[in-house]
Amino acid sequence: MMASGQETSSVPTRETFYSNLNGTSTLEISLMASGAPACMVLRFSIVAVLVCTVGIVLKPWQRFLLEFCTLVLPCVIGVTLLSDFALPFLVIGIVTSLTLLWVLFKHITSNKTQPSADQKQLTLSALCDITHSPQKLQFVTAYRVYAMITTVICILAVDFVVFPRRLAKTETYGTGLMDLGVGCFTLANALVSPEARGTFRQVKGLNSGLQAIGKAAISAVPIMVLGFIRLASVKATDYQEHVSEYGVHWNFFFTLAAVSIFSSICLTLVSPHMSGILSMVLAASYQNQLTNQGLAEFVLHGDGGIDSREGLLNANREGLVSCIGYLVIYLAGVQLGRFLFLPRTLLREYFVMFLQLCIADVLLWAMLYVSVMSVEPVCRRSANLSYIIWIIAYSIHLLACFLLVEILSTVANHGLRETPKKTEQNDSPKDTQPIPDPYLISAFDYNLLLMFLLGNLLTGVVNMSINTIEYPPFTGFVTVTGYMFIICVVAQMLHKYEKRIKFW
């Protein structure tokens, strides 16, 4: 019988593989992250050329394969085989997309009839007056989905040598791609929370407040159950774990549940439109405790500074204390979401929002530099002030990029609808139909947390079956690609048959 991965490689050896890592630069991480919006543009340009130039209407399975190869596969390649070439890889993707869009533009202009006086040029003012009021903000959905896709890729890829150690979670201080996971997931949840979307009804009175908090606690129970299931399975199988990540017993699900409960308490006591101010006050107070009251020393080294894990508090100090930082991120995300979901109907209003996000992002990166140099470097273990600023700055960077993609896609679709064609040609609606949003993105969004659970399950199966750290780079890449293909197929099938699996 073939030995399992756990049997062929000792747990201490595997744990060493993930320990004492210092990360990489925020610039490299941002370049890698920018590949996601570039993938969206690449997919749009390919579909536009196929539909409008060649006249092909993709079948469902063809559409799925195209979207997997343009939206997911480049992300796998970018953090594995071509991880050392983030900038060239990004440039190649952008140049390819622009080339395809140029081909599309030339095809459209060559097939135009003689335009009327009103159609001689599509002015900037006319473009800005395009009506754009979608039921769902696609750029927010894209951010949330890609945060999950990146996380799901990394949780398995990190177990193979093809995944650079500098992108894995850092030991103490520093920034790695995987350090973004929980922070971005927390902010992604906040962006679409009822408080952010304006569907939250402010409670009045003590009884109503207690009922709201109780309801939040009850809704967090399934997530806590998932946390206990993960804890039991890890301990029962002697699965490798990085104790300094959350602690001995704590895990991601417990953090998610804690943030859900405490954010409900905060937003019951304080109006959601004050969540931004509350997050700043809480962040400053928390960092003061870390820096001046010895809390950072406790998180990193425990009571007495001897790295003790005796007692529940010491054993799980990273997970427990960092919940404060993640709560700050959630509250900031609520404020950001309230801004993003302000009513807008014209494309010019979305372009103004894009400029506002860019300005905010520049200011946040400047604040991050000051915080790292003057206060404390980024530390995921404590989710300190620098980590909080980094998560928000990174998220706004991605949101702005995805918003730009949505604006350009809207303009392109408008141009395709408005372009007059030669009447002597056998035209059909498919030649000028708007290019739809990616179906795979919608499929992931339909069961977002379930895809994370599936990724965790498959990662455990792979690690219990083979000794991942002994596999050569290309084999690791193929394994991660196959794993992502399975997850995408499941997401697509559940979405196709409208099976939303949610019990939390």
Side-chain angles (χ1 to χ4, degrees):
M1 181 180 294
M2 185 177 293
S4 71
Q6 294 290 327
E7 292 171 340
T8 57
S9 180
S10 66
V11 173
T13 299
R14 294 175 67 85
E15 290 179 358
T16 301
F17 187 60
Y18 308 97
S19 303
N20 302 315
L21 304 175
N22 298 316
T24 184
S25 67
T26 56
L27 175 60
E28 182 180 26
I29 295 172
S30 295
L31 284 174
M32 288 184 169
S34 299
C39 288
M40 297 280 285
V41 178
L42 179 63
R43 175 261 174 197
F44 181 91
S45 60
I46 291 176
V47 173
V49 168
L50 290 176
V51 171
C52 301
T53 304
V54 185
I56 294 177
V57 176
L58 296 173
K59 297 178 180 179
W61 67 269
Q62 294 172 324
R63 183 186 65 210
F64 170 77
L65 289 178
L66 173 63
E67 292 190 351
F68 177 80
C69 291
T70 55
L71 300 177
V72 179
L73 185 58
C75 295
V76 177
I77 296 174
V79 299
T80 54
L81 297 179
L82 297 182
S83 58
D84 292 332
F85 306 97
L87 181 57
F89 190 48
L90 177 62
V91 170
I92 289 173
I94 293 174
V95 170
T96 302
S97 300
L98 293 177
T99 302
L100 290 171
L101 291 175
W102 175 253
V103 170
L104 176 66
F105 174 76
K106 295 297 290 184
H107 174 77
I108 291 175
T109 54
S110 66
N111 285 338
K112 279 187 177 181
T113 58
Q114 185 64 32
S116 64
D118 294 335
Q119 294 174 330
K120 285 186 177 180
Q121 60 178 358
L122 195 60
T123 64
L124 180 60
S125 177
L127 289 176
C128 290
D129 288 335
I130 295 174
T131 300
H132 183 63
S133 53
Q135 293 182 344
K136 179 181 288 188
L137 296 180
Q138 181 63 22
F139 72 97
V140 174
T141 300
Y143 165 77
R144 297 179 70 245
V145 169
Y146 265 107
M148 183 58 70
I149 287 176
T150 303
T151 300
V152 172
I153 290 172
C154 290
I155 59 176
L156 178 61
V158 70
D159 298 324
F160 292 90
V161 295
V162 70
F163 188 85
R165 296 300 91 193
R166 69 181 185 277
L167 301 182
K169 292 180 178 178
T170 54
E171 185 66 28
T172 303
Y173 295 109
T175 54
L177 180 62
M178 292 190 70
D179 289 320
L180 291 165
V182 184
C184 286
F185 191 85
T186 300
L187 191 137
N189 282 344
L191 288 178
V192 295
S193 64
E195 296 87 353
R197 289 184 284 112
T199 59
F200 175 78
R201 299 178 65 180
Q202 187 68 35
V203 298
K204 296 181 180 179
L206 179 60
N207 290 336
S208 298
L210 292 176
Q211 288 177 0
I213 294 171
K215 184 178 179 181
I218 292 173
S219 67
V221 168
I223 301 176
M224 295 181 67
V225 171
L226 291 174
F228 282 112
I229 291 174
R230 175 174 173 78
L231 172 63
S233 61
V234 167
K235 299 301 181 183
T237 58
D238 199 26
Y239 191 78
Q240 79 272 1
E241 54 182 330
H242 196 185
V243 173
S244 65
E245 182 177 351
Y246 293 107
V248 177
H249 311 102
W250 201 266
N251 58 52
F252 162 80
F253 297 105
F254 292 142
T255 295
L256 199 61
V259 170
S260 175
I261 294 171
F262 286 108
S263 64
S264 177
I265 295 173
C266 290
L267 296 175
T268 298
L269 299 174
V270 179
S271 175
H273 77 268
M274 298 290 290
S275 60
I277 295 176
L278 179 59
S279 69
M280 289 188 286
V281 172
L282 190 57
S285 301
Y286 177 48
Q287 185 59 49
N288 178 64
Q289 292 295 315
L290 288 171
T291 305
N292 301 321
Q293 305 301 322
L295 188 57
E297 182 68 17
F298 168 73
V299 171
L300 300 179
H301 302 293
D303 278 338
I306 58 174
D307 294 316
S308 170
R309 291 289 174 181
E310 295 295 326
L312 282 177
L313 183 58
N314 257 317
N316 302 287
R317 56 182 183 266
E318 293 92 347
L320 290 168
V321 174
S322 65
C323 283
I324 303 173
Y326 292 117
L327 175 60
V328 173
I329 292 172
Y330 187 92
L331 294 173
V334 169
Q335 188 68 62
L336 177 59
R338 291 178 65 84
F339 166 72
L340 298 179
F341 282 98
L342 287 174
R344 297 175 178 88
T345 57
L346 299 177
L347 198 62
R348 69 168 74 244
E349 295 173 315
Y350 286 88
F351 187 71
V352 170
M353 175 168 58
F354 168 73
L355 295 178
Q356 291 171 326
L357 289 175
C358 289
I359 294 171
D361 200 35
V362 170
L363 294 176
L364 282 166
W365 285 113
M367 289 173 59
L368 177 61
Y369 177 80
V370 173
S371 179
V372 168
M373 300 302 294
S374 305
V375 182
E376 187 181 21
V378 174
C379 180
R380 174 194 45 79
R381 287 174 65 181
S382 63
N384 63 356
L385 178 62
S386 295
Y387 178 81
I388 292 167
I389 297 173
W390 178 45
I391 291 295
I392 299 172
Y394 168 88
S395 298
I396 291 180
H397 163 76
L398 268 189
L399 284 165
C401 290
F402 282 124
L403 176 57
L404 181 60
V405 173
E406 183 170 338
I407 291 172
L408 295 176
S409 301
T410 302
V411 172
N413 274 324
H414 179 79
L416 292 175
R417 284 194 299 266
E418 297 298 322
T419 300
K421 295 294 187 90
K422 294 180 180 179
T423 56
E424 65 270 15
Q425 290 189 355
N426 184 22
D427 294 330
S428 63
K430 69 183 179 182
D431 293 325
T432 57
Q433 69 177 15
I435 308 303
D437 294 326
Y439 294 95
L440 191 56
I441 298 297
S442 299
F444 252 88
D445 185 53
Y446 201 67
N447 282 292
L448 198 59
L449 186 56
L450 181 65
M451 294 304 101
F452 177 73
L453 296 177
L454 179 59
N456 273 269
L457 178 62
L458 293 178
T459 297
V461 170
V462 171
N463 275 277
M464 295 300 293
S465 302
I466 62 175
N467 182 19
T468 55
I469 63 177
E470 293 182 355
Y471 277 66
F474 188 74
T475 304
F477 163 73
V478 171
T479 303
V480 175
T481 301
Y483 148 90
M484 284 305 301
F485 186 81
I486 292 172
I487 293 175
C488 289
V489 168
V490 173
Q492 191 79 356
M493 295 303 292
L494 290 174
H495 185 251
K496 178 181 179 180
Y497 294 105
E498 300 182 351
K499 301 296 183 182
R500 189 189 297 271
I501 301 176
K502 184 175 181 179
F503 51 88
W504 45 83

